[in-house]
Amino acid sequence: MEFDVIVVGAGLAGLVATVEVANAGKRVLLLDQEPEASLGGQAWWSFGGLFLVDSPEQRRLGIKDSKELAWQDWMGSAGFDREDDEDYWGRRWAEAYVSFAAGEKRAWLHEMGVRFFPVVGWAERGGYLAEGHGNSVPRFHIVWGTGPGLVEPFERRVREHLKNGLVTYLPRHQVDQLIESGDAIIGVKGSILVPSTAARGEASSREVIGDFEYHAKAVVVTSGGIGGNHDLIRKNWPSRLGKPPKHMLSGVPAHVDGRMLAITEEAGGRIVNRDRMWHYTEGIKNWDPIWNKHGIRILPGPSSIWLDAEGRRFPAPNFPGFDTLGTLEAIQRTGYSYSWFILTQKMIEREFALSGSEQNPDLTGKSIKKVLSRVLPGAPAPVQAFMDKGEDFVIADNIADLVKGMNDLTEERLLDLENIERQIQARDREMDNKFTKDLQITALRGARQYIGDKLIRVAAPHKILDKKNGPLIAVRLNIVSRKTLGGLQTDLSGRVLDSSSKVIQGLYAAGEVSGFGGGGLHGYRALEGTFLGGCLFSGRAVGRALAEE
């Protein structure tokens, strides 16, 4: 047999699994339908955030974290309620992952050459009770170099194994079928696609110029989720989140379409937790798109006023950065698939960041000088570019002109000036004292107790309608499709299970296609920094399991 292992999908999980197997001296065939320019998959586009527990970076900032606190937060977010069936392996993967994040994860990555930005971010702040959803402390560790900085050490090791003959990499090879023999998977069949010069993220041709068939002792599926397939998202959309959005932007390219999920299911693999998914609520249309309906997520600080499509302020704890899916549910129940931020120039200068490696050239390029420039007056350059060229921004010197511009943007005339002005005036009156009944103001003042937020993330509390803080800015926010939280059910070695919970011999899965492990280690909600980490952890687990066999 020419290969020991076939890995289907050259994203982060696939690269990690390939490296682990090849490090053990075994021969790996790495297949991907996209051109070589897309090596690294969605991880390359990411902000590079990783969930770590009780790290040196946290301790230096005075953050007291622990495995016990992290597990409390994880369970409060996951809400596992199918533990005798669909959640059985997901919960076990979650326990193993939190132990990994509190243990060897950082040291392993550090040995690989990965370094971290010193300020730890505070994502998914929750806003409920101690045992509810959210991170009790900041845990979002940004890789120095963002997504490309995380992909690089694994890509480099794959290329080293290409040279020594342990890895064969074939882009433009689209798997169409898993080959079965008895109760085992022994290989793959598929189509060779025409060579493509498409850049990373761009749509590539599906013209077939040949076919292929390869056999191996094991096949690992690491093909990602369904974020680029809006029809499939709507088909699986859970009723608890309201009706499926009529309009969505895409946070991933179109080739993230779930093909291999269906192909693996046809071969007997069990898909669980189809109704669990993760989409962002703070999306803006990319003024310089790379793929169709290309959306960019705003990473907001906690100060912006968040209004629904008809101009009503969302109730607590639907504040920026607190509960992604809670706010998604609130938005969808309005009957509209968009909402609004209203903020000031002072807020946008301090609080707006954009997710993605390409939107953070300072961090991606590892430029200390450019990072330090973030503290200078003015919005960061990528944010300013959206203010100047993006279709979702309205800027005005007064609230009347702002609301007029918002209505002109949608042409639906849903917003009433008097209603919006009243709500903002009421909020501004709460700024006269250091104490308040407005929980969003309490939250933003609390955030500034954390030195990382006070230095670079949260603007000093101020009145929105005070002209010295202007101009005023409104941002139309769209739903951005992103992650699949359910997937192929696997045991702790990444072996795919069938509908009877039996192992399918020779078939493994890792990354998003497996719900990042077990068919859904996140449960219903994520704590952020856990998607890339799930790819790393599940890819490593599968690779090491195969290396030991």
Side-chain angles (χ1 to χ4, degrees):
M1 192 172 287
E2 187 178 355
F3 302 104
D4 295 297
V5 176
I6 297 172
V7 176
V8 182
L12 182 59
L15 295 181
V16 174
T18 297
V19 168
E20 292 291 343
V21 175
N23 283 349
K26 297 181 183 294
R27 296 160 298 175
V28 184
L29 173 62
L30 177 60
L31 302 174
D32 197 280
Q33 69 180 9
E34 295 307 305
E36 187 170 348
S38 290
L39 192 67
Q42 305 322 302
W44 192 93
W45 293 105
S46 75
F47 194 33
L50 289 174
F51 180 91
L52 296 174
V53 179
D54 193 26
S55 69
E57 288 78 15
Q58 287 176 302
R59 293 193 291 270
R60 279 195 290 269
L61 293 167
I63 300 166
K64 297 178 181 179
D65 200 5
S66 67
K67 178 182 172 181
E68 293 74 21
L69 182 60
W71 182 242
Q72 173 181 301
D73 289 346
W74 193 285
M75 288 297 288
S77 297
F80 295 119
D81 57 5
R82 304 167 183 172
E83 294 196 43
D84 292 335
D85 187 17
E86 293 186 86
D87 283 336
Y88 177 78
W89 287 105
R91 173 169 174 157
R92 293 186 67 183
W93 271 91
E95 291 181 78
Y97 178 69
V98 172
S99 294
F100 177 61
E104 61 179 315
K105 181 179 180 181
R106 185 184 182 280
W108 173 61
L109 290 171
H110 199 271
E111 185 179 352
M112 287 278 188
V114 175
R115 299 295 183 268
F116 294 97
F117 186 61
V119 179
V120 182
W122 195 353
E124 289 298 296
R125 303 183 187 212
Y128 303 93
L129 300 181
E131 292 184 295
H133 169 66
N135 286 293
S136 297
V137 297
R139 296 193 178 102
F140 192 79
H141 295 68
I142 301 168
V143 171
W144 186 234
T146 66
L150 185 60
V151 169
E152 188 278 330
F154 298 99
E155 178 182 345
R156 174 163 36 89
R157 285 163 174 80
V158 166
R159 295 195 182 280
E160 289 171 359
H161 286 307
L162 287 172
K163 292 179 181 178
N164 66 29
L166 287 173
V167 172
T168 300
Y169 168 48
L170 298 179
R172 305 301 285 156
H173 279 59
Q174 176 182 273
V175 172
D176 300 320
Q177 180 184 347
L178 298 175
I179 303 172
E180 303 173 58
S181 178
D183 295 328
I185 300 299
I186 62 167
V188 298
K189 291 181 180 180
S191 305
I192 301 173
L193 305 180
V194 65
S196 173
T197 58
R200 185 185 294 274
E202 291 181 350
S204 61
S205 171
R206 290 294 175 265
E207 180 184 349
V208 175
I209 59 172
D211 54 45
F212 65 87
E213 179 174 334
Y214 293 105
H215 293 247
K217 299 172 185 176
V219 175
V220 184
V221 180
T222 60
S223 55
I226 67 171
N229 188 336
H230 290 189
D231 289 339
L232 193 53
I233 289 172
R234 292 187 178 100
K235 179 180 178 181
N236 293 325
W237 190 269
S239 59
R240 64 181 176 274
L241 294 180
K243 293 182 179 180
K246 296 178 182 178
H247 170 74
M248 278 188 289
L249 300 178
S250 286
V252 295
H255 65 254
V256 186
D257 58 7
R259 279 187 76 256
M260 280 306 301
L261 273 166
I263 290 168
T264 309
E265 185 177 30
E266 186 176 342
R270 185 190 186 202
I271 300 175
V272 296
N273 300 313
R274 296 175 193 263
D275 63 325
R276 295 180 185 171
M277 52 187 70
W278 188 260
H279 308 300
Y280 291 113
T281 53
E282 313 98 330
I284 50 178
K285 191 173 183 179
N286 195 344
W287 63 270
D288 186 20
I290 297 168
W291 54 81
N292 187 38
K293 297 181 180 179
H294 188 174
I296 299 294
R297 184 206 176 191
I298 296 168
L299 299 172
S303 299
S304 298
I305 290 286
W306 204 336
L307 305 175
D308 69 18
E310 295 183 332
R312 294 180 294 258
R313 193 174 172 193
F314 285 111
N318 297 312
F319 309 138
F322 277 69
D323 180 3
T324 294
L325 290 195
T327 308
L328 176 58
E329 177 184 355
I331 291 170
Q332 289 308 110
R333 294 198 184 282
T334 67
Y336 300 91
S337 297
Y338 70 94
S339 57
W340 295 96
F341 278 166
I342 290 181
L343 64 158
T344 65
Q345 178 70 23
K346 284 187 176 180
M347 289 178 188
I348 206 166
E349 289 180 2
R350 179 62 68 92
E351 297 197 2
F352 263 40
L354 301 174
S355 185
S357 56
E358 82 283 13
Q359 300 297 333
N360 294 275
D362 50 356
L363 293 167
T364 302
K366 301 181 181 181
S367 171
I368 295 175
K369 181 178 179 181
K370 289 182 178 179
V371 169
L372 292 175
S373 70
R374 290 194 180 211
V375 302
L376 298 175
V383 175
Q384 187 63 52
F386 272 90
M387 293 173 67
D388 295 338
K389 305 173 185 178
E391 65 180 61
D392 294 307
F393 283 75
V394 179
I395 303 171
D397 290 326
N398 60 75
I399 190 65
D401 288 344
L402 188 77
V403 173
K404 180 181 182 302
M406 295 162 72
N407 276 324
D408 289 345
L409 188 61
T410 65
E411 298 182 351
E412 292 184 284
R413 307 291 168 183
L414 299 175
L415 303 173
D416 178 71
L417 169 61
E418 183 179 344
N419 178 43
I420 291 176
E421 187 172 27
R422 187 197 75 251
Q423 292 176 85
I424 297 177
Q425 286 175 340
R427 179 262 186 204
D428 282 357
R429 291 188 189 102
E430 299 290 315
M431 305 303 297
D432 289 334
N433 295 287
K434 291 184 178 180
F435 43 88
T436 176
K437 69 177 182 182
D438 189 311
L439 290 180
Q440 184 177 6
I441 297 173
T442 298
L444 71 90
R445 283 177 171 154
R448 286 176 61 85
Q449 298 300 308
Y450 166 49
I451 187 65
D453 274 351
K454 185 172 183 178
L455 287 175
I456 65 171
R457 196 71 181 103
V458 180
H462 61 268
K463 295 185 176 183
I464 290 175
L465 295 180
D466 189 330
K467 289 186 178 296
K468 69 181 181 183
N469 299 318
L472 295 171
I473 301 164
V475 188
R476 179 177 56 186
L477 306 173
N478 305 275
I479 308 301
V480 182
S481 68
R482 204 53 177 268
K483 296 298 180 185
T484 312
L485 299 187
L488 294 166
Q489 193 170 41
T490 62
D491 67 11
L492 287 177
S493 294
R495 298 182 298 179
V496 176
L497 308 180
D498 66 15
S499 59
S500 301
S501 297
K502 294 180 181 178
V503 169
I504 300 175
Q505 295 299 322
L507 183 58
Y508 294 74
E512 191 175 352
V513 76
S514 66
F516 302 92
L521 64 76
H522 294 95
Y524 285 93
R525 278 177 163 89
L527 288 171
E528 289 287 17
T530 55
F531 301 134
L532 291 175
C535 289
L536 292 169
F537 183 57
S538 59
R540 191 180 91 141
V542 168
R544 293 189 175 188
L546 285 165
E548 291 175 3
E549 289 185 4

